[in-house]
Amino acid sequence: MNPSVIQRAFEDLVNATWREKLLQRLHSLNGSILWIPAFMARGGKERVEWVNELILKHRVNVRTAYPSLRLLHAVRGYWLTNKVHIKRPTTGLLMYTLATRFCNQIYLYGFWPFPLDQNQNPVKYHYYDSLKYGYTSQASPHTMPLEFKALKSLHEQGALKLTVGQCDGAT
């Protein structure tokens, strides 16, 4: 969970209604590990403290994990070594990279770094907001087209299953 989710999808928890919506979402993660890159962006630490307070106060059944900046640099270094010149890995690429250490099969959905899908329908930048963002913008902290190209290549080699259209429910 990128801490920006609290700001963009849950209105910075400004009132009880938004806190309850977040609590419902957290409860739906029952038994999961909530990966929170709290220290990778400005404002993250404060929002993470709010989430932690809710988790503890309401005894939500999730475990939290906080990656260090060293991990971010190690992941970026890994991809640079493999000639993928990313600026800062997306949360998705970070999670994929970690999954390669623990999983025999990896299925990815939602990695599509373009404003329109294959049927020319608009694609959200994040699943939880309506942010309009230049996917190829130099201002972006991410290099999404390069990430996609690398993941597509891994898909073609059989190292992962990348779904870019509608899920068929079989995977």
Side-chain angles (χ1 to χ4, degrees):
M1 179 193 83
N2 188 314
S4 69
V5 169
I6 303 305
Q7 175 187 14
R8 294 189 183 130
F10 297 98
E11 297 291 324
D12 259 341
L13 307 177
V14 294
N15 59 39
T17 300
W18 287 108
R19 287 189 293 277
E20 182 57 34
K21 286 182 182 191
L22 176 60
L23 264 173
Q24 288 174 9
R25 179 70 177 116
L26 291 170
H27 280 297
S28 76
L29 301 174
N30 189 33
S32 297
I33 297 172
L34 185 60
W35 168 278
I36 309 173
F39 313 109
M40 295 184 185
R42 215 172 354 161
K45 182 178 178 237
E46 181 181 25
R47 289 183 178 100
V48 169
E49 287 173 356
W50 300 341
V51 173
N52 283 338
E53 287 173 18
L54 282 174
I55 289 170
L56 292 172
K57 181 178 178 181
H58 298 276
R59 299 177 185 224
V60 178
N61 183 25
V62 295
R63 290 180 289 160
T64 52
Y66 307 97
S68 72
L69 284 175
R70 284 188 358 208
L71 176 64
L72 175 72
H73 295 304
V75 169
R76 183 172 181 266
Y78 167 80
W79 288 101
L80 288 173
T81 300
N82 288 286
K83 311 273 189 274
V84 180
H85 298 281
I86 57 175
K87 293 187 213 175
R88 187 175 92 199
T90 60
T91 303
L93 190 66
L94 278 169
M95 297 311 297
Y96 166 75
T97 306
L98 289 175
T100 64
R101 307 304 295 162
F102 301 105
C103 305
N104 292 325
Q105 294 182 320
I106 300 172
Y107 298 86
L108 298 179
Y109 175 78
F111 283 81
W112 185 257
F114 309 108
L116 300 175
D117 69 13
Q118 295 132 317
N119 298 318
Q120 302 306 302
N121 296 313
V123 175
K124 291 181 176 185
Y125 183 74
H126 294 117
Y127 67 90
Y128 54 83
D129 65 20
S130 57
L131 182 65
K132 299 283 187 260
Y133 213 92
Y135 287 84
T136 58
S137 167
Q138 294 298 338
S140 172
H142 305 300
T143 324
M144 290 181 164
L146 276 176
E147 284 189 15
F148 179 75
K149 184 178 177 184
L151 293 171
K152 186 174 181 219
S153 175
L154 289 168
H155 168 84
E156 290 165 354
Q157 295 170 43
L160 61 91
K161 170 75 169 111
L162 182 63
T163 300
V164 296
Q166 292 289 328
C167 279
D168 62 12
T171 55

